[in-house]
Amino acid sequence: MAQPMLHGMEIVEEIEGSGGLGGVARMTEVIAALETRRTELIEQLRSQRLASWEEIGQACGMTRQGASRRWSQQAQATSFGDAAAAYRRGRPPYPSSAVDWLVPSTAKSVLDLGAGTGKLTQLLAAREGLAVTAVEPLPAMREELVATVPSADVRDGSAETIPLGNKAVDAVVVAQAWHWFDAATALPEIARVLTPGGTLGLVWNIRDHRVPWVAELDRVLHRHTRQEIDTAPSIGTPFHEVERLDVRWEHALTRPELLDLVASRSYVITMAAKDRDELMHQVGELLDSHLDLRGRKNLTMPYITRCTRARLS
Ligand SMILES: C[S@@+](CC[C@H](N)C(=O)[O-])C[C@H]1O[C@@H](n2cnc3c(N)ncnc32)[C@H](O)[C@@H]1O
């Protein structure tokens, strides 16, 4: 005869046994096993497109954003390595006025955290008298980084475990990467490696949707998924004097570079191959048919570069 289904508290009592340290150890083991298995099931559901983040969130007692942040962010954060070359070709640099604003002219040393292929690192390295360290967790990105900015001190590490001593740098900058960090761990870690009064700068390039073809491109991209990023996050203690700056500018790029820009988005890299092919096809169609784009080999992508700067107390 089939066993009747046990409910949560009955299972807990069974694992707990007579309690004490033995009970705690058994519970810890079961929680870890459950967590691993839940992640596997969620990965299966997502890869076979059997459930949306909304439904997974409901099943886990979380919001859609909470579930997708928890399970897709990890996969996406580690996805860039698969498309490091496309990233280097297609992603824009940062305007020099933004870089100048983010790193005080008095700084003698700077850390580029989550440096990727070195889009920002190379602009920092061009500043005379500034010693540049770049930390990046993914080997494929680091490979591109070392080749692009040979003068930088490139290190393996993460925002949560920065491979630098205390008070090592005058400024830390994070380009297009803050949203991947566990801010609660990263913030004190950044404070640890900064000299007193040092600065933290965050920056994101945002496509300017007021231009009709850019709005159309984003509609195509977001048909598949929408990645909400807070580009003006609050920065808590021990930082203060939080300031913001928006810089508008345009990036010249070719049609293949625009396709690389799309292909290097984390959510595109982690898509099923069939969906990715379909998306790239739709972007190609837009380039061929939109009145402002068709027949053009050279394009200009309008950007708003959104910067945040804060000072260590
Ligand atoms: C969108 S890319 C930005 C790269 C580069 N800063 C730029 O501006 O082109 C995000 C980078 O953050 C890195 N990253 C993700 N999670 C990280 C973490 N916890 N600590 C440090 N870097 C991380 C990724 O490997 C990736 O290279």
Side-chain angles (χ1 to χ4, degrees), residues 6 8-18 26:
L6 290 174
M9 273 323 287
E10 290 171 279
I11 299 174
V12 169
E13 278 166 22
E14 197 167 306
I15 298 164
E16 188 180 348
S18 52
R26 275 193 301 281

Side-chain angles (χ1 to χ4, degrees), residues 177-192:
W178 179 258
H179 53 287
W180 297 116
F181 301 172
D182 172 359
T185 315
L187 207 58
E189 188 59 355
I190 291 169
R192 179 185 68 76

Side-chain angles (χ1 to χ4, degrees), residues 4-141:
M5 205 171 81
L6 290 174
H7 288 286
M9 273 323 287
E10 290 171 279
I11 299 174
V12 169
E13 278 166 22
E14 197 167 306
I15 298 164
E16 188 180 348
S18 52
L21 277 180
V24 172
R26 275 193 301 281
M27 280 179 179
T28 307
E29 200 181 316
V30 172
I31 290 168
L34 282 172
E35 202 46 81
T36 304
R37 187 64 194 134
R38 179 164 74 160
T39 301
E40 283 170 4
L41 286 179
I42 289 170
E43 279 169 3
Q44 260 173 30
L45 287 168
R46 286 303 299 156
S47 68
Q48 295 168 23
R49 305 208 150 253
L50 295 174
S52 64
W53 284 118
E54 186 81 51
E55 290 166 319
I56 292 170
Q58 270 169 16
C60 297
M62 305 164 95
T63 60
R64 176 181 66 79
Q65 290 91 339
S68 104
R69 205 176 301 125
R70 175 147 179 193
W71 286 286
S72 81
Q73 189 145 322
Q74 187 58 28
Q76 290 189 0
T78 54
S79 66
F80 292 110
D82 300 341
Y87 194 103
R88 180 181 46 72
R89 290 192 301 263
R91 293 288 185 114
Y94 300 92
S96 55
S97 56
V99 181
D100 291 345
W101 188 84
L102 287 162
V103 182
S105 56
T106 49
K108 295 272 174 279
S109 53
V110 65
L111 164 65
D112 184 0
L113 197 50
T117 59
K119 291 276 167 194
L120 176 63
T121 327
Q122 57 189 323
L123 302 173
L124 298 169
R127 196 193 275 187
E128 205 146 321
L130 187 65
V132 181
T133 305
V135 167
E136 166 58 44
L138 296 181
M141 296 296 248

